[in-house]
């Protein structure tokens, strides 16, 4: 939890993908790589395994898989459960750059 607080409190947008390995619906790693490549150093993109981070997932009430969140300066700016394509995610993150 402490590390999560440090990650989300930076002064640039942080896109988080909460996922579970057991889900067939998990977005491909290629999608997140495309997002990270397009945003460069303007934003941070991370994946968090729900099963390995159950306390955090419970604290954030992550029920669906995948669940995406965007944080900036420690504040949640956007949240959506369900599959998202790279262009949508890039556009959403760019709103907070």
């Amino acid at each position: 939890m402490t590390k999560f607080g440090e990650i989300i409190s930076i002064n640039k947008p942080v896109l988080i993908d909460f996922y579970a390995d057991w889900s067939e619906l998990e977005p491909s790693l290629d999608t997140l790589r495309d997002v990270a490549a397009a945003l460069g150093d303007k934003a941070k993109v991370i994946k968090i395994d729900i099963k390995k981070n159950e306390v955090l997932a419970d604290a954030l009430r992550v029920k669906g898989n995948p669940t995406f969140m965007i944080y900036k300066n420690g504040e949640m700016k956007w949240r959506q459960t369900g599959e998202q394509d790279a262009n949508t995610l890039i556009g959403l993150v760019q709103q907070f750059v």
Side-chain angles (χ1 to χ4, degrees), residues 1 4 9 17 24 34 47 49 62-63 66 75 85 88:
M1 292 285 275
F4 181 75
S9 62
D17 170 15
E24 295 174 18
D34 291 347
K47 289 176 67 80
D49 187 326
V62 174
K63 303 292 183 211
E75 182 182 339
D85 65 77
T88 299

Side-chain angles (χ1 to χ4, degrees), residues 36-49:
L39 295 170
D41 63 353
K42 296 179 198 161
K44 190 170 191 134
V45 178
I46 61 173
K47 289 176 67 80
I48 297 178
D49 187 326

Side-chain angles (χ1 to χ4, degrees), residues 28-75:
S28 73
L29 200 50
D30 290 340
T31 299
L32 290 179
R33 281 192 188 123
D34 291 347
V35 173
L39 295 170
D41 63 353
K42 296 179 198 161
K44 190 170 191 134
V45 178
I46 61 173
K47 289 176 67 80
I48 297 178
D49 187 326
I50 296 168
K51 288 295 175 192
K52 292 180 182 172
N53 297 279
E54 287 184 33
V55 172
L56 177 60
D58 287 345
L60 294 172
R61 295 188 170 104
V62 174
K63 303 292 183 211
N65 178 43
T67 295
F68 294 94
M69 296 179 193
I70 298 174
Y71 279 86
K72 185 172 182 180
N73 294 322
E75 182 182 339

